[in-house]
Amino acid sequence: MKNILIFFRFFPSVGGTERVFTILANSFITNGYDVHIVSIEKSIDVPMFYLDKQVKCSILPHRNVACQENIRTLHSYLIDNKIDYIINNDSIKEAVKLCSEAKENTNIKLVTIHHGDIVCKKEYIYLMAQQGSGLNRFLKSLFFPLYLKYQNHRRKENHKFNLLKSDKYILLSNSFKKYLPQNDKIMAINNPLSYMREEFSGAKENMVILVGRLLEPHKRVLLSLKIWSIVADKHPDWKYYIVGDGEDRALIENFIQDNNIPNVILTGKTESQQYYKRAKILIMTSAFEGWGLVINEAMQNNCVPIVMYSYDSLPDIIADQENGFISPNNDIEAFADKLDRLMSDEMMWADMSKKAYISTARFIPENIIKQWIDMLNTL
């Protein structure tokens, strides 16, 4: 039996990354591996997603990720549990340093996953600039072009370090490889589906959904509301559900009220699968993503996606005009036109809905875990 240690700074926690590596952990167990999860701290008390009881969970003693105490503790854990592979789910430099130094003088292989885009999108750096003290935020905003340049240089150097220290560097899409130097360590493995894949049965509602954290300017919910306001009056029997919660909920509620946008419902924090099953259409207007897990989740529930082309891996999921629509980034009118067409044409929706479901077969966990096992066997 091979032993795998999965490192993730925050576990248990909430989010797409945790959902993905929880699915991977369960799949490794199913395939006869012994699985350990080691983290730095908890974000919540118990795992949000189902985790096989055979998975062993531990927390390192210090919040300073790559401190010597953590390195020594992790090294002892690796030896005591006869770990063969470390799968590092955190591609920040400190996490790679912790894992690589903890495995020194062993035959343990280190696989690092980078869950996001390779380059820093302007909107992502803007969100980073809003963090910290008032003076800190002010200086970052004042010198934002320099801050953006600095962060992109830092990201580039971080990728170099990760490649140097890891035996494999896993990206979510082959489309990201163009941003990195050619290297045999780089490999792309897509994210698995989040739910059991079941054939659709029953009626769908005239419902459009957006699923995600209410955070501007990342998810650009306000942009989606501008799109909805264009089509809403043409389709008074349709409703727009914004599924999720976040820091900018009040901002979004005020925007809806100030602009008198009809038929919009904010669900708050809730389980999203019930809405995938009910809705006909998912829209996504994010400024950046690594993969966009909610697209897969929607499609496996016969919910047709319309997504702004703001990140490179999107064509890995959507074949434009076949199982969904890829809309030009920032073009509100083009997006609204696609949404209007899909809401108006039941036959078009039914055909794309069926193709959306069929196309998700390649992402079932059994197929994704096979790629992981084949990769580990080459190390």
Side-chain angles (χ1 to χ4, degrees):
M1 179 185 290
K2 294 288 187 178
N3 299 322
I4 295 174
L5 182 142
I6 298 174
F7 176 78
F8 190 60
R9 272 184 300 168
F10 306 105
F11 184 82
S13 60
V14 178
T17 300
E18 184 191 87
R19 185 189 289 273
V20 168
F21 86 74
T22 301
I23 292 167
L24 290 177
N26 295 337
S27 297
F28 278 124
I29 290 287
T30 301
N31 282 271
Y33 288 78
D34 191 20
V35 179
H36 304 250
I37 295 176
V38 172
S39 60
I40 297 294
E41 58 181 300
K42 297 180 178 181
S43 296
I44 55 179
D45 290 331
V46 295
M48 183 173 181
F49 311 110
Y50 169 73
L51 185 66
D52 193 296
K53 293 181 180 179
Q54 296 180 68
V55 177
K56 305 167 186 67
C57 300
S58 299
I59 296 180
L60 294 176
H62 205 285
R63 290 189 177 185
N64 182 357
V65 178
C67 71
Q68 288 302 308
E69 185 178 5
N70 281 351
I71 292 171
R72 287 193 298 268
T73 302
L74 183 56
H75 177 79
S76 297
Y77 191 97
L78 296 172
I79 301 303
D80 292 345
N81 291 281
K82 300 179 180 179
I83 300 298
D84 299 289
Y85 308 104
I86 301 172
I87 297 178
N88 169 32
N89 270 274
D90 226 312
S91 59
I92 63 167
K93 185 175 182 178
E94 289 80 3
V96 176
K97 183 176 186 291
L98 165 68
C99 294
S100 61
E101 292 192 13
K103 79 175 189 71
E104 282 186 357
N105 302 316
T106 73
N107 293 320
I108 299 168
K109 302 299 182 181
L110 172 60
V111 178
T112 295
I113 311 174
H114 183 70
H115 284 278
D117 205 340
I118 298 299
V119 296
C120 290
K121 293 290 193 296
K122 183 178 179 180
E123 293 85 355
Y124 174 74
I125 302 303
Y126 175 80
L127 285 175
M128 292 179 62
Q130 302 310 301
Q131 299 175 2
S133 65
L135 177 61
N136 190 284
R137 288 197 303 270
F138 173 75
L139 291 174
K140 289 175 182 177
S141 299
L142 182 64
F143 299 104
F144 186 74
L146 289 175
Y147 182 67
L148 177 63
K149 186 176 181 180
Y150 163 73
Q151 287 295 341
N152 272 309
H153 172 73
R154 185 180 178 186
R155 175 72 70 93
K156 185 177 180 180
E157 293 302 309
N158 190 68
H159 289 306
K160 286 183 181 179
F161 180 82
N162 293 352
L163 278 167
L164 178 65
K165 296 296 183 179
S166 303
D167 296 289
K168 277 290 183 182
Y169 199 38
I170 306 299
L171 312 179
L172 296 181
S173 168
N174 281 314
S175 63
F176 294 142
K177 289 182 178 180
K178 62 178 178 257
Y179 299 112
L180 295 173
Q182 187 172 356
N183 192 310
D184 291 340
K185 291 182 178 181
I186 300 172
M187 180 179 178
I189 302 180
N190 301 148
N191 277 336
L193 295 178
S194 303
Y195 306 107
M196 290 290 293
R197 190 168 173 271
E198 298 175 347
E199 186 70 43
F200 171 72
S201 61
K204 288 271 193 174
E205 300 176 31
N206 288 342
M207 179 191 295
V208 177
I209 58 173
L210 179 147
V211 179
R213 185 178 174 190
L214 306 188
L215 181 64
E216 300 288 329
H218 179 192
K219 299 300 183 181
R220 297 196 296 196
V221 180
L222 298 183
L223 193 64
S224 79
L225 286 165
K226 293 177 183 178
I227 294 166
W228 177 253
S229 68
I230 296 172
V231 304
D233 288 339
K234 300 178 186 178
H235 303 278
D237 58 330
W238 283 71
K239 289 182 170 57
Y240 178 33
Y241 280 73
I242 298 172
V243 182
D245 210 343
E247 298 90 321
D248 289 324
R249 175 164 182 158
L251 174 69
I252 291 164
E253 288 175 331
N254 290 336
F255 186 87
I256 295 168
Q257 183 175 356
D258 292 345
N259 292 277
N260 197 28
I261 303 175
N263 294 330
V264 181
I265 298 95
L266 276 67
T267 68
K269 185 178 180 181
T270 185
E271 170 54 51
S272 54
Q273 189 177 19
Q274 60 179 308
Y275 293 97
Y276 295 134
K277 289 182 178 296
R278 293 167 58 192
K280 288 184 176 179
I281 301 169
L282 170 97
I283 63 175
M284 178 186 281
T285 50
S286 298
F288 56 90
E289 294 287 347
W291 180 254
L293 196 62
V294 299
I295 304 173
N296 291 123
E297 293 173 351
M299 292 170 72
Q300 74 174 107
N301 285 285
N302 294 81
C303 185
V304 179
I306 307 176
V307 183
M308 277 194 174
Y309 199 178
S310 60
Y311 61 100
D312 291 298
S313 64
L314 186 57
D316 287 16
I317 309 171
I318 298 176
D320 188 33
Q321 302 183 63
E322 292 185 22
N323 59 6
F325 283 110
I326 297 176
S327 192
N329 193 25
N330 296 313
D331 192 331
I332 293 175
E333 294 295 335
F335 199 109
D337 179 66
K338 290 176 173 58
L339 180 57
D340 180 40
R341 286 166 56 195
L342 198 54
M343 294 167 75
S344 302
D345 192 331
E346 183 69 20
M347 289 184 66
M348 176 193 288
W349 174 83
D351 180 61
M352 296 181 81
S353 171
K354 182 177 180 180
K355 290 176 179 176
Y357 172 79
I358 292 171
S359 69
T360 60
R362 59 206 155 120
F363 301 125
I364 61 173
E366 292 85 351
N367 290 341
I368 301 302
I369 200 66
K370 183 179 185 304
Q371 296 177 53
W372 273 95
I373 292 172
D374 288 346
M375 179 274 294
L376 292 178
N377 286 339
T378 66
L379 296 180

